[in-house]
Amino acid sequence: MAEALSVTSGELKPVSVPLCPLAMASNPEKELLCIFGTGDLGRSLGQRLLQTGYKVVYGSRRPHSCGPLPQGAQVLSHEAAARSTSLIFICVHREHYGFLETLAPQLKGKVLVDLSNNLKKDIYPDTNGEYLQRLVPGAGVVKGLNTLSAWALQNGPLAGKQVYLCGDSGEAKQAVTEMATRLGLSVLDKGCLSAARELEDFPLQLFPAWRLPLCLAVCLTAFFFFYLLIRDVVYAYVEQDKDISFRIMVSLANKVFPIVSLIMLSLCYLPGVLASFIQFYRGTKYSRFPNWLDRWLLCRKQIGLLALGFAFLHVIYTFVIPIRYAVRHKLISRVVDEMKNNKTTPFDFDNTEAWATDSFFALGILGFFLYVLLGLSSLPSVGGALSWREFTFIQSKLGHLTLVICTAHGYIYGWNKFLRLSTYKWWTPPGYMLCLVVPSVVLVLKLLLLLPCVDRSLTRIRQGWERSEPGGGSGETRATEL
Amino acid sequence: MAEALSVTSGELKPVSVPLCPLAMASNPEKELLCIFGTGDLGRSLGQRLLQTGYKVVYGSRRPHSCGPLPQGAQVLSHEAAARSTSLIFICVHREHYGFLETLAPQLKGKVLVDLSNNLKKDIYPDTNGEYLQRLVPGAGVVKGLNTLSAWALQNGPLAGKQVYLCGDSGEAKQAVTEMATRLGLSVLDKGCLSAARELEDFPLQLFPAWRLPLCLAVCLTAFFFFYLLIRDVVYAYVEQDKDISFRIMVSLANKVFPIVSLIMLSLCYLPGVLASFIQFYRGTKYSRFPNWLDRWLLCRKQIGLLALGFAFLHVIYTFVIPIRYAVRHKLISRVVDEMKNNKTTPFDFDNTEAWATDSFFALGILGFFLYVLLGLSSLPSVGGALSWREFTFIQSKLGHLTLVICTAHGYIYGWNKFLRLSTYKWWTPPGYMLCLVVPSVVLVLKLLLLLPCVDRSLTRIRQGWERSEPGGGSGETRATEL
Amino acid sequence: MAEALSVTSGELKPVSVPLCPLAMASNPEKELLCIFGTGDLGRSLGQRLLQTGYKVVYGSRRPHSCGPLPQGAQVLSHEAAARSTSLIFICVHREHYGFLETLAPQLKGKVLVDLSNNLKKDIYPDTNGEYLQRLVPGAGVVKGLNTLSAWALQNGPLAGKQVYLCGDSGEAKQAVTEMATRLGLSVLDKGCLSAARELEDFPLQLFPAWRLPLCLAVCLTAFFFFYLLIRDVVYAYVEQDKDISFRIMVSLANKVFPIVSLIMLSLCYLPGVLASFIQFYRGTKYSRFPNWLDRWLLCRKQIGLLALGFAFLHVIYTFVIPIRYAVRHKLISRVVDEMKNNKTTPFDFDNTEAWATDSFFALGILGFFLYVLLGLSSLPSVGGALSWREFTFIQSKLGHLTLVICTAHGYIYGWNKFLRLSTYKWWTPPGYMLCLVVPSVVLVLKLLLLLPCVDRSLTRIRQGWERSEPGGGSGETRATEL
């Protein structure tokens, strides 16, 4: 498979396998790879390579005292190890690359895979990969696979995992790609060695795709928290001289969470609607969207999952209501009050109220159920088992249905309150009104897109058709392609 | 690996890679594949192929104005592209296959992979694959990989994904299989090109395995909804002149959901029990089950997951009970009633009632917990990590335990009601009684199967033993095999 | 790819494929593999091999009456099948290996893959693999792939699945490894054939990693159940002559579950803290931990998931509280009591109490939310998509945060009770006090580890640095490796 790795096995003694030395030695076709460094990464990598059917030799400064190594691997001095094979993994900290300069003659023409990572960004002027190439100019340095950790190599399957590499030598990259493919990895070539900066920054990232959605969630939560704090707690304290600060922990949180959840859910579907309008306006699907829209489209999944998180919190907060001290106290004092004052008003059962609250709950439950379904289909293993049409059906049809139901849940909540003046404390609208703006806009826009004439145009545009410009029929050609 | 794809690279100029032209050009072993069509699918496919280590050349009607293509790919005219390689992907809509007829001489002896899909079923008399073969009789047409969407090619790993192909030329299929295997796909050969109909219908399916279970769920839900609507709401209106229609939203739903859930759960285990009885009766495991049982056995997972969905809804509806307006109103008016009339009955604490309701809740909670465990083990990534014995343990042992607990939950609900005449409004049994029939039958049948004598026979039958027919000892031979 | 499998196809007639015989026959490069045994496993394995591009021939005692086989496979007598290929899968029960002895001449030099499993451990003095090797000494017996079930072969992708093999012939193992790799499996060589015992015990294991954590959970649950049963129910019966046994079902369970959950969660983080202290004390990361700590570290995931299960039960039990008969009864009788005796005490709203209970609930909800996040990141498909830094962040940072929040949840529960004498019934501390001991210890130890001086040392030790022993600077060498 990997002809480029012709092993110069002249110098190498037969690999000493503890248990069945004869049998293994009789199998001369296995390729030999070399690993410099016997740390966690070196050992885990060696074990994987042995499992995949390679022979492995370690290069070590002290071949006779380098701790436990995978069964079946051999240890030699750096020099001897370098001479025995054509592909060498460098599993050593950059600080200690110095010794490689002295090995330059032995490393000439070899493929060096630099797997090193730094602890922080930008602590060195040049990247580890370029530094290594400068030290050993005669070797083909390939920077890559550095997203593989010792932990990932020891646990679980590598199959299908995407790794990156870069380097100036095409042959060297080819050799590494073949080795990585045999390990089950999926390799993406990032170009010349100058791309090493990007590769070395990968493992230092912490949830990069979540940064924007998390920012958004925190901002929305903070805004609505303070808005409602002022409207509810501060207002009661100032105007009615009541201390209801205890409400912050549960009541207020249980107002903020559903509001943020609904807004996030609608923000998850807004960019798709905007993109459709842009396509419809431009009459083609081949021109790029503005950058902000591209970024927004790419983090829809994260926005949706955060919305689900907030909905989950909202649901649990709601279930806790009846066991709260304040709620029980209110219930008891209300009864006692009624009895003492002999009022009978509350005992008239209000059928409309019963319908409204029960519908409110039923819609909320249904919405949450669909929310959970959407979340489940976002699990890599579930989503991966769906066909494209099924995934679209769930994320688009079910998604918009969820938005409709949750928005209706919000509308019913305030169905009889928005006309009362007392709702507008200090002339501010209540939170649930604010939170209904974005979803309502999204739903109206989506409805416009579903109008037959718009829908027909859009379907044609998405199949590759382009609205004919005055210039000519270039739309025709495009429309031929899948 | 793929010797069949000997590249006739005579005409091809070195692929122009923007960044490191020299290095890449020096690597002559990479195989060259051709893609006709520069649409979404063509571009995504090309990118994957490039990542996997192939060289890619696009054939385009207008090689100089075909929009952004993956870095590293070359664009030629259809003719030049066709001549340069032996395997060509056709990523063009069927409507535009016409130009291929004019290319027939260049395409002679080449492998053509037809990835096209139609928008609807049966809009053309013949399949796209057969149409293509008719246009280019000299080529080896392979229909297949058409379940891969541009979206799947761009996102996530292909590793292990099952794809289908068919075609009349074994060599052509072999070449495509090798290419697909290198992409990490798992290929299933569906036979001759006449199977193209089946393959082209695949991507148009929408949850085919869920159709039957969903139908079942909808029918059961509708039946019990109207049954309970009549027994509860209509009965109260007609006989007692009370309007309790508001109960439809929550109370009624919360009766229908657990009923459907329990019936679906038992229907999930009934076919297995029936299959055992058929095996026991026939005395062999080698004769096929009737078709209806086969279909039923195949959709047990979906039935079980729907049952879990209904159980989930039931649980949430239950938690919402104490915050409902109607429930609070009832509680308050009951207290006030008591006080005014100085009744003391309800204040005698009934220990049996407390035990019964608490056991009822505890069983329900435990049942739901097991339900969720069963659902989690149905996740592809979780189930895939289990050994066969572990999977059987969870799905069979835990599954039947769940059924026992949920059935007990149902029995306790009506433990003291089934003897009261008032339970049988209009001489109809209440819903929970109806829903206990199927689970009870399943459990009794399962108990019969667990009788030592039956169990011993069945175990032997499942190990391959056959009850000796008068004719002879053919059972012996069979029993040797795993 | 697998040159070792040079097919001696002299004797073999062209494989008869029902539909397109000519096309397939024209493809002579496919390798031929042989399967002895046409049971479930044999058929499923054959189908997979056919799909992967192999030709398959079955060896059967009765080639003309062996039931349905995968399309495209051929059936011959054992003798003819054995002669036609160099690699033979033995899919026959050990009890029927006898016939292989008579085939010994034909099997000489062939590779025999023994996939058999036994129904129980230790029912035969030697392993199936060794028995087979004794029967056919001239063949290269490879024991392995026996963790693949017929079910796994038929369903879902094999990609990346780890399988084991062992055998005395290196060449034979190499041939099987290449075949398995082509099936997408990841092969681990366990050494000589004497390792067959271990391999044959694998499929008989039932959740081996869960045994210890489950034991722990059962013990803790039993202890706290009886402890609280005595303190609550027995105490009330003996001292106050009240029968509150009904509380066992819900109230008692809802005390035991959170206690066990919190202790399990802290036991999940205790070994990591202990390991850090050992590393700090020894001044190196290269010496092995004691065995008990190694085992403990390895089952942290299972302990954590069990803790999540108990927390889930606790949450549902809590939500059920307000609809319990006993709770409603207490609420009503309390109101009536108040009214009759004209007491007004409970109607003074206690602001501190409201803050405390609401904070208690809020912390519990937040803790559960984080618990669920931790559980989700344990799903193979989710965890696999995380980088090492992200996984560490979730499991370590979020994990400890969860522990802090849940411990605080426990402390607030008893904030004003621990000073009252009535809390210590029969001089025993209440359950929640006992359960706070372990988490508090873990958190204090963790805080010690976060002290700047300790933290700095530990970070260096983990990077490979060793505290310099009197003997010399061996620390330096180690520190070079990743």
Side-chain angles (χ1 to χ4, degrees):
Chain A
M1 204 170 185
E3 302 84 345
L5 301 181
S6 58
V7 179
T8 53
S9 58
E11 303 231 346
L12 194 71
K13 297 144 226 161
V15 173
S16 63
V17 176
L19 284 168
C20 337
L22 271 167
M24 297 294 281
S26 68
N27 177 17
E29 303 96 339
K30 280 185 173 180
E31 291 156 34
L32 182 72
L33 302 179
C34 172
I35 299 174
F36 278 10
T38 56
D40 278 352
L41 184 64
R43 276 180 286 145
S44 314
L45 180 64
Q47 193 164 1
R48 271 283 170 174
L49 290 171
L50 285 166
Q51 285 172 22
T52 316
Y54 286 101
K55 287 200 261 183
V56 171
V57 59
Y58 282 95
S60 168
R61 207 177 281 192
R62 314 175 158 210
H64 302 297
S65 63
C66 59
L69 289 176
Q71 210 182 32
Q74 203 187 6
V75 194
L76 297 174
S77 70
H78 282 138
E79 272 205 7
R83 239 179 277 126
S84 69
T85 172
S86 65
L87 196 151
I88 300 163
F89 295 95
I90 310 293
C91 299
V92 173
H93 282 293
R94 176 204 168 105
E95 293 83 49
H96 307 278
Y97 275 9
F99 79 97
L100 291 164
E101 202 164 7
T102 65
L103 285 176
Q106 285 85 9
L107 296 176
K108 192 159 188 183
K110 311 275 174 171
V111 177
L112 301 188
V113 189
D114 178 0
L115 292 100
S116 66
N117 289 310
N118 297 324
L119 288 176
K120 275 182 207 154
K121 285 189 185 179
D122 301 323
I123 42 176
Y124 296 108
D126 56 347
T127 60
N128 301 355
E130 289 165 309
Y131 174 56
L132 178 61
Q133 183 74 78
R134 223 175 50 236
L135 287 178
V136 197
V141 170
V142 174
K143 174 81 210 185
L145 315 194
N146 55 325
T147 46
L148 294 178
S149 60
W151 173 78
L153 284 162
Q154 278 166 30
N155 301 287
L158 298 179
K161 217 165 206 169
Q162 177 107 53
V163 290
Y164 305 90
L165 53 78
C166 69
D168 288 337
S169 155
E171 265 176 76
K173 285 197 283 190
Q174 182 70 15
V176 178
T177 303
E178 273 163 6
M179 181 277 308
T181 308
R182 209 162 135 192
L183 279 176
L185 298 162
S186 161
V187 182
L188 182 51
D189 188 341
K190 283 290 201 176
C192 292
L193 198 54
S194 51
R197 171 75 62 202
E198 189 191 346
L199 267 69
E200 292 180 8
D201 284 349
F202 269 131
L204 298 174
Q205 287 177 335
L206 190 61
F207 297 109
W210 288 85
R211 202 152 295 172
L212 199 70
L214 269 175
C215 248
L216 188 68
V218 168
C219 292
L220 281 174
T221 308
F223 170 74
F224 278 102
F225 177 77
F226 287 111
Y227 185 77
L228 293 176
L229 185 73
I230 291 168
R231 263 185 54 94
D232 288 8
V233 180
V234 177
Y235 178 87
Y237 191 74
V238 171
E239 302 273 327
Q240 298 158 11
D241 206 22
K242 280 200 300 188
D243 176 9
I244 54 167
S245 61
F246 70 92
R247 290 214 188 160
I248 290 173
M249 294 309 284
V250 177
S251 306
L252 212 64
N254 201 17
K255 281 187 180 177
V256 172
F257 291 151
I259 287 174
V260 176
S261 176
L262 185 53
I263 295 182
M264 299 279 288
L265 185 66
S266 54
L267 289 181
C268 175
Y269 291 104
L270 184 53
V273 173
L274 290 181
S276 297
F277 270 102
I278 290 180
Q279 282 183 347
F280 182 70
Y281 173 77
R282 291 183 179 165
T284 174
K285 71 164 182 175
Y286 292 104
S287 60
R288 281 178 56 83
F289 295 124
N291 260 336
W292 56 268
L293 188 55
D294 256 347
R295 282 186 69 194
W296 195 353
L297 284 165
L298 282 176
C299 62
R300 281 179 295 175
K301 181 179 165 183
Q302 282 77 18
I303 295 180
L305 288 177
L306 285 178
L308 171 59
F310 280 100
F312 180 71
L313 284 173
H314 166 49
V315 167
I316 301 194
Y317 268 100
T318 305
F319 293 158
V320 152
I321 290 176
I323 47 174
R324 288 174 62 209
Y325 167 78
V327 173
R328 291 191 183 193
H329 181 273
K330 198 171 153 196
L331 192 70
I332 294 178
S333 32
R334 192 170 160 198
V335 178
V336 174
D337 242 41
E338 299 299 335
M339 293 301 301
K340 289 203 173 142
N341 308 328
N342 249 328
K343 285 192 287 191
T344 49
T345 2
F347 306 106
D348 292 340
F349 187 78
D350 181 353
N351 223 2
T352 322
E353 180 77 17
W355 260 102
T357 54
D358 275 12
S359 309
F360 171 67
F361 290 131
L363 281 173
I365 293 169
L366 206 59
F368 181 62
F369 182 73
L370 292 176
Y371 242 127
V372 171
L373 272 193
L374 290 177
L376 281 178
S377 77
S378 297
L379 282 178
S381 65
V382 177
L386 299 175
S387 78
W388 168 237
R389 193 170 163 222
E390 290 165 348
F391 187 80
T392 312
F393 175 81
I394 287 191
Q395 293 297 338
S396 171
K397 298 268 165 64
L398 276 197
H400 283 101
L401 184 63
T402 311
L403 186 58
V404 169
I405 289 178
C406 291
T407 311
H409 177 68
Y411 271 107
I412 289 189
Y413 177 73
W415 71 290
N416 56 358
K417 294 182 196 156
F418 74 102
L419 278 178
R420 280 188 236 144
L421 203 65
S422 67
T423 308
Y424 304 88
K425 301 174 190 166
W426 284 345
W427 303 105
T428 57
Y432 74 88
M433 268 188 209
L434 288 184
C435 93
L436 285 170
V437 174
V438 191
S440 306
V441 168
V442 172
L443 289 177
V444 168
L445 291 178
K446 183 75 197 172
L447 271 181
L448 286 179
L449 286 176
L450 292 179
L451 290 178
C453 55
V454 183
D455 188 44
R456 220 177 311 123
S457 269
L458 260 179
T459 308
R460 279 163 68 206
I461 287 172
R462 293 221 177 112
Q463 283 166 21
W465 177 86
E466 290 186 295
R467 201 176 294 145
S468 66
E469 314 279 315
S474 77
E476 276 310 287
T477 324
R478 289 281 169 73
T480 57
E481 282 128 19
L482 284 176
Chain B
M1 200 170 188
E3 302 82 346
L5 300 181
S6 57
V7 180
T8 54
S9 59
E11 304 229 348
L12 193 71
K13 298 144 225 159
V15 174
S16 63
V17 177
L19 283 168
C20 337
L22 271 167
M24 297 295 281
S26 68
N27 177 16
E29 304 96 338
K30 280 185 173 182
E31 291 157 33
L32 183 73
L33 303 178
C34 172
I35 300 173
F36 278 10
T38 55
D40 278 351
L41 183 64
R43 275 180 288 144
S44 314
L45 180 64
Q47 192 163 1
R48 272 283 172 173
L49 290 171
L50 284 166
Q51 285 173 21
T52 316
Y54 286 101
K55 288 200 262 185
V56 171
V57 60
Y58 282 95
S60 168
R61 207 175 281 192
R62 313 172 159 213
H64 302 296
S65 63
C66 57
L69 289 176
Q71 209 184 33
Q74 202 187 10
V75 194
L76 298 172
S77 70
H78 282 137
E79 272 204 7
R83 238 180 278 125
S84 70
T85 173
S86 65
L87 197 151
I88 300 162
F89 296 95
I90 310 294
C91 300
V92 174
H93 281 293
R94 175 203 169 106
E95 293 82 50
H96 308 278
Y97 275 9
F99 80 96
L100 290 164
E101 202 164 9
T102 66
L103 283 176
Q106 285 86 10
L107 295 176
K108 191 158 186 184
K110 311 275 176 172
V111 176
L112 301 187
V113 189
D114 178 359
L115 293 98
S116 67
N117 290 310
N118 297 323
L119 287 176
K120 275 181 207 155
K121 284 189 185 183
D122 302 322
I123 42 178
Y124 297 108
D126 57 347
T127 60
N128 301 356
E130 289 165 309
Y131 174 57
L132 178 60
Q133 183 73 79
R134 223 173 52 236
L135 288 177
V136 198
V141 169
V142 175
K143 174 81 211 184
L145 315 196
N146 57 326
T147 46
L148 293 178
S149 60
W151 173 80
L153 284 162
Q154 277 165 32
N155 301 289
L158 297 179
K161 219 165 204 168
Q162 177 106 54
V163 291
Y164 305 91
L165 53 78
C166 69
D168 288 337
S169 156
E171 264 177 79
K173 286 197 283 189
Q174 181 70 14
V176 177
T177 303
E178 272 162 8
M179 182 276 308
T181 309
R182 210 163 134 190
L183 279 176
L185 298 162
S186 161
V187 181
L188 182 50
D189 187 341
K190 283 291 201 176
C192 292
L193 199 54
S194 51
R197 173 72 64 203
E198 188 191 347
L199 266 66
E200 291 180 7
D201 284 349
F202 269 131
L204 299 173
Q205 287 177 336
L206 190 61
F207 296 108
W210 288 86
R211 204 152 294 173
L212 198 70
L214 268 176
C215 249
L216 188 68
V218 169
C219 292
L220 281 174
T221 308
F223 170 75
F224 278 102
F225 178 76
F226 287 111
Y227 184 78
L228 292 176
L229 186 72
I230 291 169
R231 263 184 54 93
D232 287 7
V233 179
V234 177
Y235 178 86
Y237 191 75
V238 172
E239 302 274 327
Q240 298 159 9
D241 206 23
K242 280 201 300 188
D243 177 9
I244 55 167
S245 61
F246 70 91
R247 290 216 187 159
I248 289 172
M249 294 309 285
V250 177
S251 305
L252 213 65
N254 201 16
K255 281 186 180 178
V256 172
F257 290 151
I259 286 174
V260 176
S261 177
L262 185 53
I263 294 182
M264 299 281 287
L265 185 65
S266 53
L267 289 180
C268 174
Y269 290 104
L270 184 53
V273 173
L274 290 181
S276 297
F277 270 102
I278 290 180
Q279 282 184 347
F280 182 70
Y281 173 77
R282 291 181 178 167
T284 173
K285 70 164 183 178
Y286 292 102
S287 60
R288 280 177 57 83
F289 295 124
N291 260 335
W292 57 267
L293 189 56
D294 255 348
R295 282 186 68 196
W296 195 353
L297 283 164
L298 281 176
C299 62
R300 280 180 295 175
K301 180 180 166 181
Q302 283 76 20
I303 295 180
L305 287 177
L306 285 177
L308 171 59
F310 280 100
F312 180 72
L313 283 173
H314 166 50
V315 166
I316 301 193
Y317 268 100
T318 304
F319 293 158
V320 151
I321 290 176
I323 48 174
R324 288 175 60 210
Y325 167 77
V327 172
R328 290 191 183 195
H329 182 272
K330 199 172 153 197
L331 191 70
I332 294 178
S333 30
R334 193 171 158 198
V335 177
V336 174
D337 243 41
E338 299 298 335
M339 293 301 301
K340 286 200 174 147
N341 308 328
N342 248 328
K343 284 193 289 190
T344 49
T345 358
F347 306 105
D348 291 339
F349 187 77
D350 181 352
N351 222 2
T352 321
E353 180 78 18
W355 260 100
T357 54
D358 275 12
S359 308
F360 171 68
F361 289 132
L363 282 173
I365 293 169
L366 205 60
F368 181 62
F369 182 73
L370 292 176
Y371 243 127
V372 171
L373 272 193
L374 290 177
L376 280 178
S377 77
S378 298
L379 283 177
S381 65
V382 177
L386 297 176
S387 78
W388 168 238
R389 192 169 163 223
E390 290 166 347
F391 188 80
T392 312
F393 174 81
I394 287 190
Q395 292 298 337
S396 171
K397 298 269 165 64
L398 275 197
H400 282 102
L401 183 63
T402 312
L403 186 58
V404 169
I405 288 178
C406 291
T407 311
H409 177 68
Y411 271 107
I412 289 189
Y413 178 73
W415 71 290
N416 56 359
K417 295 182 195 155
F418 74 102
L419 278 178
R420 278 189 235 144
L421 203 64
S422 67
T423 308
Y424 303 88
K425 302 174 187 165
W426 285 343
W427 303 105
T428 57
Y432 74 87
M433 268 188 210
L434 288 183
C435 92
L436 284 171
V437 174
V438 192
S440 306
V441 168
V442 172
L443 289 177
V444 167
L445 291 179
K446 184 73 197 173
L447 271 181
L448 285 179
L449 286 176
L450 290 179
L451 289 178
C453 55
V454 183
D455 188 43
R456 221 175 312 123
S457 272
L458 262 179
T459 308
R460 279 163 68 204
I461 287 171
R462 292 215 179 117
Q463 283 167 20
W465 177 86
E466 289 187 296
R467 200 176 294 147
S468 64
E469 313 278 315
S474 78
E476 275 313 287
T477 324
R478 288 285 169 71
T480 58
E481 282 127 20
L482 284 177
Chain C
M1 203 171 186
E3 303 85 343
L5 301 180
S6 58
V7 180
T8 53
S9 59
E11 304 230 348
L12 194 72
K13 298 143 224 158
V15 173
S16 63
V17 177
L19 284 168
C20 336
L22 271 169
M24 295 296 280
S26 70
N27 177 15
E29 304 95 338
K30 279 185 174 181
E31 291 156 33
L32 183 72
L33 302 180
C34 172
I35 299 174
F36 278 10
T38 56
D40 278 352
L41 183 65
R43 276 180 286 144
S44 315
L45 179 65
Q47 194 164 357
R48 272 283 170 172
L49 290 172
L50 285 165
Q51 285 172 22
T52 316
Y54 286 101
K55 288 201 262 186
V56 171
V57 60
Y58 282 95
S60 167
R61 208 176 280 193
R62 313 174 157 214
H64 303 297
S65 64
C66 57
L69 288 178
Q71 210 184 33
Q74 202 187 7
V75 194
L76 297 173
S77 71
H78 282 138
E79 271 203 10
R83 238 180 279 124
S84 70
T85 172
S86 65
L87 197 151
I88 300 162
F89 295 95
I90 310 294
C91 300
V92 174
H93 280 293
R94 176 203 168 105
E95 293 82 49
H96 307 279
Y97 275 9
F99 79 96
L100 290 165
E101 202 164 9
T102 65
L103 284 176
Q106 285 84 11
L107 296 176
K108 191 160 187 182
K110 312 275 176 173
V111 176
L112 301 186
V113 189
D114 178 359
L115 293 98
S116 66
N117 289 311
N118 296 325
L119 288 176
K120 275 182 208 154
K121 284 190 185 180
D122 301 323
I123 43 176
Y124 296 108
D126 56 349
T127 61
N128 301 356
E130 288 165 308
Y131 175 56
L132 178 61
Q133 183 72 79
R134 225 174 49 235
L135 289 177
V136 199
V141 169
V142 175
K143 175 80 211 183
L145 315 195
N146 57 326
T147 45
L148 294 178
S149 60
W151 172 79
L153 284 161
Q154 278 166 31
N155 302 287
L158 298 179
K161 221 166 203 167
Q162 177 107 53
V163 291
Y164 305 90
L165 54 77
C166 68
D168 287 337
S169 154
E171 265 176 76
K173 285 196 285 190
Q174 181 69 13
V176 178
T177 302
E178 272 162 6
M179 181 277 308
T181 307
R182 209 163 134 189
L183 280 175
L185 298 163
S186 161
V187 182
L188 182 50
D189 187 340
K190 283 291 200 177
C192 292
L193 198 53
S194 52
R197 172 73 62 201
E198 188 192 348
L199 267 68
E200 291 180 7
D201 284 348
F202 269 132
L204 298 174
Q205 287 178 336
L206 189 61
F207 296 109
W210 288 85
R211 202 152 296 171
L212 198 70
L214 269 176
C215 249
L216 188 68
V218 168
C219 291
L220 280 174
T221 309
F223 170 75
F224 278 102
F225 178 76
F226 287 111
Y227 184 79
L228 292 176
L229 186 72
I230 291 170
R231 262 184 57 93
D232 288 7
V233 180
V234 176
Y235 179 87
Y237 192 74
V238 171
E239 303 272 328
Q240 298 159 9
D241 206 22
K242 279 200 298 188
D243 177 8
I244 54 167
S245 61
F246 70 92
R247 290 214 187 160
I248 289 172
M249 294 309 284
V250 176
S251 305
L252 211 64
N254 201 17
K255 281 186 180 179
V256 172
F257 290 151
I259 286 174
V260 176
S261 176
L262 185 53
I263 293 182
M264 299 279 289
L265 184 67
S266 54
L267 289 181
C268 174
Y269 291 105
L270 184 53
V273 173
L274 290 182
S276 297
F277 270 102
I278 289 180
Q279 283 183 346
F280 182 69
Y281 174 76
R282 290 182 179 167
T284 174
K285 72 164 181 175
Y286 293 103
S287 59
R288 281 178 57 82
F289 295 125
N291 260 336
W292 57 268
L293 188 56
D294 256 347
R295 284 186 67 193
W296 195 353
L297 284 164
L298 282 175
C299 62
R300 281 179 295 176
K301 180 179 167 182
Q302 282 76 20
I303 294 179
L305 287 177
L306 285 178
L308 171 59
F310 280 101
F312 180 72
L313 284 173
H314 166 50
V315 166
I316 301 193
Y317 268 100
T318 303
F319 293 159
V320 153
I321 290 176
I323 47 175
R324 288 173 62 208
Y325 168 77
V327 172
R328 291 192 183 193
H329 182 273
K330 197 171 154 196
L331 192 68
I332 295 178
S333 31
R334 191 169 161 199
V335 177
V336 175
D337 241 42
E338 300 297 335
M339 293 300 302
K340 287 202 174 145
N341 307 328
N342 248 328
K343 282 194 288 189
T344 48
T345 359
F347 306 105
D348 290 341
F349 187 78
D350 182 354
N351 222 3
T352 321
E353 180 79 17
W355 261 102
T357 54
D358 275 13
S359 308
F360 172 67
F361 290 132
L363 281 173
I365 294 170
L366 205 61
F368 181 61
F369 182 73
L370 292 176
Y371 242 127
V372 171
L373 273 192
L374 290 178
L376 281 178
S377 77
S378 298
L379 282 177
S381 65
V382 176
L386 298 176
S387 78
W388 168 238
R389 193 172 162 220
E390 290 166 347
F391 188 79
T392 310
F393 175 80
I394 288 191
Q395 293 297 338
S396 170
K397 298 269 166 63
L398 275 197
H400 282 102
L401 183 63
T402 312
L403 186 58
V404 168
I405 289 177
C406 291
T407 310
H409 177 67
Y411 271 107
I412 290 188
Y413 178 73
W415 71 290
N416 56 359
K417 294 183 197 156
F418 74 102
L419 278 178
R420 279 188 235 143
L421 204 64
S422 66
T423 308
Y424 304 88
K425 302 175 190 167
W426 286 344
W427 302 105
T428 57
Y432 74 86
M433 268 188 212
L434 287 184
C435 92
L436 285 171
V437 174
V438 192
S440 306
V441 169
V442 173
L443 290 177
V444 167
L445 291 179
K446 183 75 196 172
L447 272 181
L448 285 180
L449 287 176
L450 291 178
L451 290 177
C453 53
V454 183
D455 188 43
R456 219 175 312 125
S457 270
L458 261 179
T459 308
R460 280 162 70 203
I461 287 172
R462 291 216 178 114
Q463 283 168 21
W465 177 86
E466 290 185 297
R467 201 176 294 145
S468 65
E469 314 277 317
S474 77
E476 276 311 285
T477 323
R478 288 281 168 72
T480 58
E481 282 128 20
L482 284 176

